[in-house]
Amino acid sequence: MQKNQKPLGIYVHVPFCVHKCAYCDFYSVTDMELMREYTSAVVAHIRSKKKFLKNALVETIYFGGGTPSLLPVAQLERILNAIYSTAAVAPNAEITLEANPGTLTSKNLSAYKKMGINRLSIGLQSADDEELSALSRIHTRAEFENSFMLARMEGFDNINVDLIYALPKQTKAKLFSNIDYVISMNPEHISLYGLTIEPETPFGKNKEILSAIPDEDEQYEMYMSACKRLEECGYFQYEISNFAKKDCGCKHNLKYWMNKEYISFGPAAASFVENTEYTYARDIELYLSNLKNEKAIRQPDEETGETEHVLDEEELETRFVMLHFRLRAGINTGEYQQKFGLSFEKIYEDKLEKYMKDKFIVRTEHGFRLTRRGMLISNTILSDILEF
Ligand code: SF4
């Protein structure tokens, strides 16, 4: 890395899906006609950030969605080319594409490989066809298996598989059969998220669904034993919901959790650069029609109307603690001291004592981390520690 270059991650939100899954609150549209215009807009947007990007060394690029694998190969390539021609990209950069099973073919996989994509994140969610249908996913387990095998044949050796637990009517046995199936496929990385009910989704409005979701005790049991099983099978839990084989943690997501800088493109995408947070509005039409006016395409804060937020020292400290506690490595008190000139241990003495006594937090060689029990209720612990 050259002296004046700073490390950066780039996220591109590809907001297209075949249809809207019943539980999903991510921003996406089903109008594929907009794809070409969207690509041109993202390309122009990337180029418009030339002044900022020319001082960066891009270490990770992440195409998330939506369903990025729906975007025609030529359009994906245009976006990637725009990044390469605007910024310096590290030769060993991690370049991830999120994909839905059923949208992957030998042809597009081979093209992805050629253009430099070296990591796939496949959204399986469940290995049970009944559960998949209840989630209104567009694929079956057999289609996932076919996609996964094709990816291996095309030489992808860094693949993540997403799973969701605590699905309506899901038993621990069913979850374990999903997990064991994924382990049998031998991906390098597995993400395991609890189902989050978003009030505005069909799931959130369906009383029958809501009453069929495993209760808190069942969810606790599911999470604890799933994490244990994954670790027994060689998947190290390096974050609350993420498990990886040795050296296969997602470098891009680690940038988020380690409080590093990332810049994003596309509607609904969020950035954190130069201690400033901002998010583009969940509105593709606005993104396409107002691209030249950076402020107009951003989501204004509901209270202040501001389109970006520069974090002060206190907010930076809160952000640091919140994000680092998501990681198994936890808080490095030396790094904390260096960044904020304060003693983490002294500031949070009482709270640390309380949570250590109940085994929600433990000491590490370099500081403190949440235990697995602590990770499961991390939101409660963090809002208590950070008083918000
Ligand atoms: S494919 Fe993914 S992003 Fe699209 S609607 Fe389904 S869950 Fe949401």
Side-chain angles (χ1 to χ4, degrees):
M1 193 182 329
Q2 286 167 18
K3 248 188 177 175
N4 58 349
Q5 280 182 321
K6 54 180 181 173
L8 185 72
I10 290 187
Y11 174 79
V12 180
H13 191 74
V14 185
F16 300 98
C17 288
V18 172
H19 84 141
K20 203 71 205 161
C21 300
Y23 60 97
C24 175
D25 189 41
F26 290 122
Y27 178 67
S28 65
V29 297
T30 51
D31 183 357
M32 308 296 161
E33 304 266 301
L34 294 172
M35 278 182 173
R36 192 180 287 272
E37 216 186 319
Y38 157 84
T39 303
S40 301
V42 170
V43 166
H45 199 187
I46 292 167
R47 293 198 175 128
S48 74
K49 301 277 181 187
K50 191 170 184 157
K51 212 167 139 200
F52 173 80
L53 289 173
K54 76 175 196 305
N55 295 320
L57 179 67
V58 178
E59 295 176 330
T60 63
I61 299 171
Y62 195 104
F63 290 96
T67 311
S69 52
L70 281 178
L71 204 62
V73 162
Q75 295 185 30
L76 206 54
E77 199 162 20
R78 277 185 66 203
I79 296 176
L80 211 45
N81 286 344
I83 295 173
Y84 272 89
S85 62
T86 313
V89 179
N92 60 347
E94 175 192 88
I95 307 180
T96 304
L97 180 90
E98 281 183 358
N100 244 359
T103 60
L104 293 172
T105 61
S106 292
K107 207 171 156 203
N108 61 12
L109 282 161
S110 147
Y112 297 155
K113 193 83 190 147
K114 277 196 196 106
M115 71 175 85
I117 289 166
N118 49 28
R119 184 173 184 273
L120 290 177
S121 178
I122 307 181
L124 171 62
Q125 319 309 359
S126 165
D128 178 280
D129 283 343
E130 260 178 47
E131 284 182 347
L132 286 172
S133 147
L135 288 170
S136 66
R137 299 287 300 178
I138 57 165
H139 60 88
T140 60
R141 163 170 157 162
E143 282 169 317
F144 160 78
E145 196 161 315
N146 187 42
S147 298
F148 190 94
M149 303 301 271
L150 286 175
R152 285 296 197 220
M153 281 193 295
E154 292 301 330
F156 282 93
D157 56 6
N158 193 0
I159 302 180
N160 167 58
V161 177
D162 278 342
L163 275 179
I164 303 180
Y165 75 94
L167 297 175
K169 294 194 194 148
Q170 192 174 53
T171 58
K172 191 174 148 193
K174 188 66 86 58
L175 171 66
F176 265 63
S177 102
N178 289 343
I179 290 175
D180 287 345
Y181 167 72
V182 174
I183 291 171
S184 76
M185 297 299 291
N186 203 21
E188 285 65 36
H189 190 289
I190 298 173
S191 297
L192 177 70
Y193 294 98
L195 178 70
T196 311
I197 295 293
E198 303 292 349
E200 291 313 312
T201 60
F203 263 29
K205 292 177 184 161
N206 185 328
K207 285 197 181 124
E208 218 176 291
I209 293 279
L210 295 177
S211 63
I213 288 172
D215 66 27
E216 246 179 54
D217 290 344
E218 289 168 316
Q219 291 198 27
Y220 174 84
E221 184 50 32
M222 281 179 169
Y223 178 78
M224 297 298 277
S225 35
C227 294
K228 194 161 166 261
R229 167 84 82 172
L230 285 162
E231 285 220 328
E232 282 164 2
C233 295
Y235 291 91
F236 177 74
Q237 183 178 17
Y238 69 102
E239 195 264 352
I240 294 177
S241 310
N242 286 280
F243 306 79
K245 290 191 178 177
K246 195 167 183 296
D247 298 328
C248 292
C250 174
K251 294 191 179 102
H252 184 80
N253 287 340
L254 278 164
K255 276 195 183 290
Y256 298 150
W257 301 316
M258 294 177 84
N259 217 14
K260 308 285 185 208
E261 295 199 331
Y262 54 90
I263 190 166
S264 302
F265 300 95
S271 301
F272 176 64
V273 283
E274 294 167 342
N275 293 341
T276 305
E277 295 173 332
Y278 61 89
T279 304
Y280 295 117
R282 292 164 65 101
D283 185 341
I284 190 165
E285 306 283 353
L286 182 75
Y287 188 80
L288 298 179
S289 57
N290 274 288
L291 195 62
K292 290 208 170 109
N293 183 350
E294 173 76 23
K295 276 195 173 175
I297 58 172
R298 290 185 182 176
Q299 183 63 46
D301 182 274
E302 272 179 24
E303 281 170 22
T304 63
E306 295 288 332
T307 52
E308 64 182 30
H309 181 64
V310 184
L311 279 74
D312 63 24
E313 195 66 6
E314 203 179 315
E315 290 167 325
L316 286 170
E317 191 264 349
T318 300
R319 187 184 160 92
F320 180 95
V321 175
M322 277 182 66
L323 293 173
H324 279 78
F325 259 146
R326 291 191 65 91
L327 292 168
R328 174 78 155 263
I331 305 276
N332 181 321
T333 47
E335 186 188 354
Y336 180 93
Q337 173 90 40
Q338 203 180 19
K339 263 191 168 342
F340 305 106
L342 301 166
S343 159
F344 181 78
E345 210 163 344
K346 272 202 189 132
I347 291 185
Y348 297 108
E349 201 175 5
D350 295 349
K351 297 283 166 73
L352 287 171
E353 200 179 305
K354 169 173 137 189
Y355 286 112
M356 279 165 65
K357 195 163 145 256
D358 294 334
K359 301 210 164 36
F360 286 113
I361 289 180
V362 285
R363 230 176 241 285
T364 64
E365 197 185 336
H366 302 292
F368 298 89
R369 71 169 174 88
L370 294 180
T371 59
R372 198 166 277 155
R373 291 177 67 210
M375 282 181 168
L376 193 60
I377 56 155
S378 60
N379 288 345
T380 313
I381 295 177
L382 286 170
S383 60
D384 181 29
I385 289 183
L386 298 165
E387 294 176 0
F388 60 79

